[in-house]
Amino acid sequence: MKRHSPQHIDLAAQDVLRQANVLSLPVDLDRVVSSLNVRVHEEAMEEDVSAVLIVKGAQRHILVNKSHSANRKRFSIAHELGHLILHDEVDTGDLDGERMFIDRQIRVYHRVGEASSPIYKQDGSLTDEVQEREANAFAASLLMPAHHVTRAALERDLFDELSVASLARTFGVSEQAMSIRLQQLQLVAVG
């Protein structure tokens, strides 16, 4: 199974934004999913299921939990796009239980809880912890492009909670997601 470096993931997200011609903030996810020929559907799901990606041939569908907040839905959609871009490789050989295939043509990925959730270690899991972390990194890079976050962060006092909240609103993400991204980009100290 191919693993992706943080640099590769960031470049892949930048490429998706460039191809969708998305330049403004917050990132226009409707435009991104349209450029990737993905249809998004809000559905009633169990609380711990955030989203599902279903791929069958050229058909690509993301089902997102309609009961979740707008910011969580955005991140979940971006996360599923990460699976589509980074992990949607058709395996014509031995499936080895790594992906669920229905009719051997449908590939399904789902986001349940944290990337370290025990569900990803169970037999028959469609993804593993590394793929979940990669999809999270892709979502962060897509919704919070490094160059935009860095520029915006330099204009604010990031030790002020209101500034981080304002930054999160600018990018259309949760304060938690923004705090994590600021740490990843080493714009604030950890801990």
Side-chain angles (χ1 to χ4, degrees):
M1 183 174 319
K2 184 176 181 179
R3 300 301 186 199
H4 302 281
S5 71
Q7 296 80 11
H8 172 81
I9 293 168
D10 192 55
L11 288 173
Q14 287 176 37
D15 191 46
V16 166
L17 291 171
R18 192 172 21 263
Q19 288 177 12
N21 198 28
V22 172
L23 306 172
S24 61
L25 298 174
V27 167
D28 184 345
L29 268 185
D30 290 337
R31 197 169 185 169
V32 171
V33 297
S34 178
S35 76
L36 293 170
N37 194 30
V38 175
R39 294 190 56 207
V40 176
H41 314 271
E42 290 195 20
E43 301 287 337
M45 299 178 174
E46 294 178 28
E47 182 58 30
D48 64 342
V49 177
S50 299
V52 176
L53 169 66
I54 302 172
V55 179
K56 180 176 183 178
Q59 296 179 34
R60 300 163 172 184
H61 298 270
I62 294 175
L63 312 178
V64 65
N65 193 327
K66 71 178 183 180
S67 70
H68 290 174
S69 71
N71 288 341
R72 186 168 179 187
K73 287 181 213 175
R74 283 175 53 79
F75 197 88
S76 295
I77 292 166
H79 174 99
E80 298 307 328
L81 293 175
H83 282 307
L84 180 68
I85 300 300
L86 301 172
H87 306 135
D88 190 46
E89 302 152 351
V90 177
D91 185 351
T92 56
D94 180 30
L95 296 177
D96 204 27
E98 291 182 4
R99 289 181 175 62
M100 178 170 69
F101 285 71
I102 300 170
D103 237 3
R104 288 218 178 276
Q105 296 301 315
I106 297 177
R107 295 175 303 286
V108 181
Y109 305 87
H110 64 286
R111 183 170 182 236
V112 179
E114 300 299 316
S116 59
S117 175
I119 195 164
Y120 299 114
K121 296 177 184 171
Q122 295 176 359
D123 288 341
S125 176
L126 308 176
T127 59
D128 61 30
E129 291 179 49
V130 174
Q131 287 177 315
E132 290 304 307
R133 285 190 192 100
E134 289 175 350
N136 281 343
F138 180 89
S141 292
L142 187 74
L143 297 175
M144 299 170 279
H147 63 283
H148 285 302
V149 173
T150 301
R151 186 177 33 168
L154 293 174
E155 299 169 357
R156 292 174 170 82
D157 175 10
L158 295 179
F159 296 103
D160 177 359
E161 287 180 20
L162 295 176
S163 291
V164 174
S166 170
L167 198 57
R169 280 191 304 278
T170 298
F171 286 83
V173 298
S174 69
E175 291 177 38
Q176 179 185 16
M178 181 54 70
S179 294
I180 292 168
R181 185 66 168 151
L182 290 168
Q183 290 172 12
Q184 289 171 338
L185 297 172
Q186 300 178 347
L187 295 170
V188 295
V190 178

